[in-house]
């Protein structure tokens, strides 16, 4: 990933008032989420689709980029403008951002589907579909091993 750095993808941009992208996803993906004046979640429940875990502390939840920033870099984002990378990193329209168990997200890192899949096979169809939707919208390339893994996961639809 020559030249890649997370800093080249400005993320957690302000969305509305005091709320940034991370906080917006936590509110969107959680249940009964309450926030303080700075939009930080103070209560709520989050269900992680990747491992089926349920959390009641926002600190136990990460916001996953379905297509990790490093994967985007390798498959076309290296040639994008900083503004376009910021749009990608903060995309609330496509299925690019979701609240998941923090250590699961950290284990995923910048891995593609041929290197990492959600532990729950019940999520494979949604995960593969989301990955394809994001890659297609942003016109990012797909490797042969990545395509084979996605095809396998789509068999669970």
């Amino acid at each position: 990933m020559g030249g890649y750095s997370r800093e080249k993808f400005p993320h957690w941009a302000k969305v509305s008032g005091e709320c940034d992208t991370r906080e917006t996803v936590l509110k969107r993906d959680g249940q009964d989420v309450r926030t303080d004046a700075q939009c930080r979640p103070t209560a709520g429940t989050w269900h992680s689709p990747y491992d089926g875990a349920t959390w009641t502390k926002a600190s136990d939840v990460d916001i996953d980029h379905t297509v990790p920033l490093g994967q985007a870099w390798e498959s076309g984002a290296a040639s994008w403008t900083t503004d376009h990378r910021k749009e990608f990193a903060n995309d609330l329209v496509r299925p690019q951002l979701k609240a998941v168990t923090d250590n699961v997200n950290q284990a995923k890192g910048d891995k593609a589907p041929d290197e990492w899949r959600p532990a729950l096979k019940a999520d494979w169809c949604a995960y593969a579909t989301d990955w394809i939707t994001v890659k297609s919208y942003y016109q990012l390339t797909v490797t042969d091993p990545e395509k084979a893994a996605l095809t396998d996961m789509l068999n669970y639809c």
Side-chain angles (χ1 to χ4, degrees), residues 1-140:
M1 291 195 293
Y4 167 70
S5 167
R6 283 183 67 83
E7 288 73 39
K8 292 184 179 181
F9 290 82
H11 52 289
W12 309 157
K14 288 289 182 196
V15 174
S16 175
E18 293 295 315
C19 297
D20 65 19
T21 308
R22 173 183 162 69
E23 294 155 343
T24 301
V25 173
L26 286 170
K27 287 186 346 183
R28 180 195 71 195
D29 290 1
Q31 294 178 325
D32 303 318
V33 177
R34 289 185 301 245
T35 60
D36 63 17
Q38 288 75 44
C39 200
R40 293 179 300 233
T42 58
T45 303
W46 294 270
H47 176 77
S48 174
Y50 294 167
D51 62 353
T54 299
W55 303 99
T56 57
K57 293 188 333 190
S59 60
D60 291 327
V61 179
D62 276 358
I63 306 306
D64 177 52
H65 289 90
T66 300
V67 175
L69 306 180
Q71 282 295 314
W73 181 265
E74 286 188 325
S75 58
S79 66
W80 294 350
T81 65
T82 300
D83 284 344
H84 195 49
R85 288 193 292 268
K86 180 179 180 180
E87 174 192 340
F88 177 83
N90 294 280
D91 189 345
L92 292 166
V93 176
R94 271 134 307 268
Q96 170 62 343
L97 300 169
K98 59 181 75 171
V100 301
T101 302
D102 59 357
N103 62 349
V104 172
N105 186 49
Q106 292 158 17
K108 175 186 173 193
D110 283 317
K111 297 178 177 106
D114 55 304
E115 303 168 309
W116 184 91
R117 297 177 189 200
L120 292 179
K121 287 186 179 180
D123 189 52
W124 283 12
C125 176
Y127 183 76
T129 302
D130 292 350
W131 184 281
I132 293 164
T133 298
V134 172
K135 281 250 178 157
S136 175
Y137 179 81
Y138 286 98
Q139 299 179 342
L140 296 169

